[in-house]
């Protein structure tokens, strides 16, 4: 059920960032670091595999290197950065790294705190939703499945299947197209600077998650506001204000049902 149009209070930027979208139609999610805390697994995979080939003089990459050069970026860009003189080798390396990452996901995967509560809120209000990621499709579908969200998402958009990956806005625009939503009535959850940049370039408000990335790096990309996780009181104050101002009704089985792509 759509949220009706309301006046935007001037006192709270986090609340007004969502209120101006009324009627809200949809929410788009990144996957890695946004639905689940996967950066430690990615860092481990890169660190161990790069160490095996003597990258960086045999010194393991630290978290700062990972955040600045790898986190949130597409594998094509990572391959060029890590192997500037041998792009094909870089692509082969990233493919092998992703296979190792999927083995790690099979052993341990933690959702972002409060995700189940937000998923219920979205379902209760009948909002459209899509996952939009730079991860390979095999990774994205594995993570979404492990989180029990396969039927929750009406579309999964993968950067490598678009003409341009994030930080280009195209994947998010493709997400809107896939679920039949408009950017004027949609907002995004993202955890990386490149992902926030993509959402902002697509002209949608982005709620940034400071899951692992430093807040100053995230704020440079101009998110609507930042939250620590989906339990954050700032998020729920904004959603509750949206409900209160818009008169959102809890949908019922007899009046509306989901349709999954």
């Amino acid at each position: 059920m759509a949220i009706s149009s309301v006046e935007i209070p001037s006192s709270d930027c986090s609340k007004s960032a969502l209120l101006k979208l009324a009627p809200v139609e949809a929410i788009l999610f990144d996957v890695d670091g946004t639905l689940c805390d996967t950066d430690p697994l990615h860092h481990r995979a890169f660190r161990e595999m790069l160490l095996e080939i003597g990258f960086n003089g045999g010194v393991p990459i630290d978290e700062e290197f990972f955040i600045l050069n790898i986190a949130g970026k597409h594998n094509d860009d990572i391959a060029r950065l890590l192997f500037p003189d041998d792009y094909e080798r870089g692509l082969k390396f990233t493919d092998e790294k992703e296979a190792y990452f999927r083995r790690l996901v099979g052993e341990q995967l933690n959702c972002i705190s409060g995700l189940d509560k937000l998923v219920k809120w979205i379902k209760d209000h009948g909002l459209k939703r899509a996952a939009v990621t730079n991860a390979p499709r095999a990774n994205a579908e594995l993570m979404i499945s492990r989180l029990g969200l396969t039927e929750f998402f009406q579309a999964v958009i993968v950067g490598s299947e678009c003409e341009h990956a994030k930080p280009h806005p195209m994947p998010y625009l493709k997400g809107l197209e896939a679920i039949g939503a408009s950017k004027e009535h949609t907002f995004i959850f993202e955890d990386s600077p490149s992902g926030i940049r993509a959402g902002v370039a697509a002209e949608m408000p982005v709620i940034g998650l400071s899951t692992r990335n430093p807040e100053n790096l995230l704020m440079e990309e101009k998110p609507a506001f930042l939250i620590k996780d989906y339990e954050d009181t700032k998020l729920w104050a904004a959603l509750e204000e949206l409900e209160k101002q818009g008169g959102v009704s809890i949908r019922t089985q007899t009046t509306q049902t989901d349709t999954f792509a």
Side-chain angles (χ1 to χ4, degrees):
M1 181 177 292
I3 301 170
S4 56
S5 193
V6 296
E7 247 182 276
I8 299 173
S10 59
S11 58
D12 190 326
C13 63
S14 64
K15 293 179 182 179
S16 64
L18 301 188
L19 287 172
K20 69 182 182 181
L21 298 173
V24 172
E25 298 175 349
I27 302 179
L28 305 179
F29 288 84
D30 176 46
V31 178
D32 277 296
T34 300
L35 296 177
C36 42
D37 186 16
T38 51
D39 273 3
L41 303 183
H42 284 292
H43 184 196
R44 174 183 166 184
F46 274 109
R47 184 182 67 244
E48 293 180 4
M49 292 183 63
L50 288 171
L51 192 59
E52 286 178 3
I53 62 172
F55 181 83
N56 194 34
V59 178
I61 63 168
D62 59 17
E63 187 173 8
E64 181 181 8
F65 179 92
F66 175 79
I67 289 172
L68 292 176
N69 297 287
I70 295 174
K73 293 182 171 60
H74 190 268
N75 276 345
D76 287 356
D77 299 320
I78 296 171
R80 289 188 178 93
L81 183 142
L82 297 179
F83 298 88
D85 300 322
D86 195 343
Y87 176 59
E88 292 304 318
R89 184 188 179 197
L91 289 179
K92 184 175 184 295
F93 176 89
T94 56
D95 284 346
E96 291 171 352
K97 173 263 162 184
E98 297 302 354
Y100 181 30
F101 170 78
R102 288 192 290 274
R103 292 197 296 274
L104 295 177
V105 167
E107 298 169 6
Q108 58 182 96
L109 186 68
N110 299 316
C111 73
I112 301 300
S113 180
L115 179 63
D116 55 346
K117 180 180 177 182
L118 179 61
V119 165
K120 182 179 185 304
W121 187 90
I122 293 168
K123 287 181 175 179
D124 286 346
H125 294 90
L127 300 180
K128 299 174 182 178
R129 54 270 187 182
V132 181
T133 179
N134 269 356
R137 181 166 290 278
N139 288 23
E141 291 181 348
L142 175 61
M143 288 183 280
I144 289 169
S145 174
R146 292 274 295 174
L147 294 170
L149 296 175
T150 300
E151 292 191 348
F152 173 73
F153 286 112
Q154 295 160 310
V156 177
I157 305 300
V158 173
S160 61
E161 297 172 6
C162 301
E163 187 175 347
H164 301 285
K166 303 177 199 175
H168 196 280
M170 182 173 289
Y172 276 118
L173 297 176
K174 289 284 188 182
L176 290 176
E177 181 182 350
I179 59 175
S182 63
K183 64 185 180 182
E184 291 81 11
H185 304 290
T186 301
F187 64 95
I188 295 168
F189 286 104
E190 261 285 359
D191 78 299
S192 71
S194 64
I196 294 174
R197 191 181 315 153
V200 171
E203 301 181 321
M204 286 175 277
V206 181
I207 299 176
L209 281 94
S210 54
T211 316
R212 296 282 176 178
N213 290 300
E215 291 191 4
N216 64 304
L217 293 182
L218 299 178
M219 288 305 298
E220 286 177 3
E221 304 301 336
K222 299 180 173 55
F225 58 96
L226 295 181
I227 58 175
K228 295 189 181 302
D229 54 35
Y230 299 116
E231 299 280 7
D232 198 308
T233 55
K234 189 187 300 183
L235 170 64
W236 289 99
L239 296 181
E240 287 164 11
E241 184 70 14
L242 196 58
E243 289 184 350
K244 183 174 69 174
Q245 296 289 343
V248 183
S249 301
I250 301 296
R251 69 168 197 179
T252 63
Q253 292 286 343
T254 57
T255 58
Q256 187 173 353
T257 58
D258 284 322
T259 56
F260 296 101

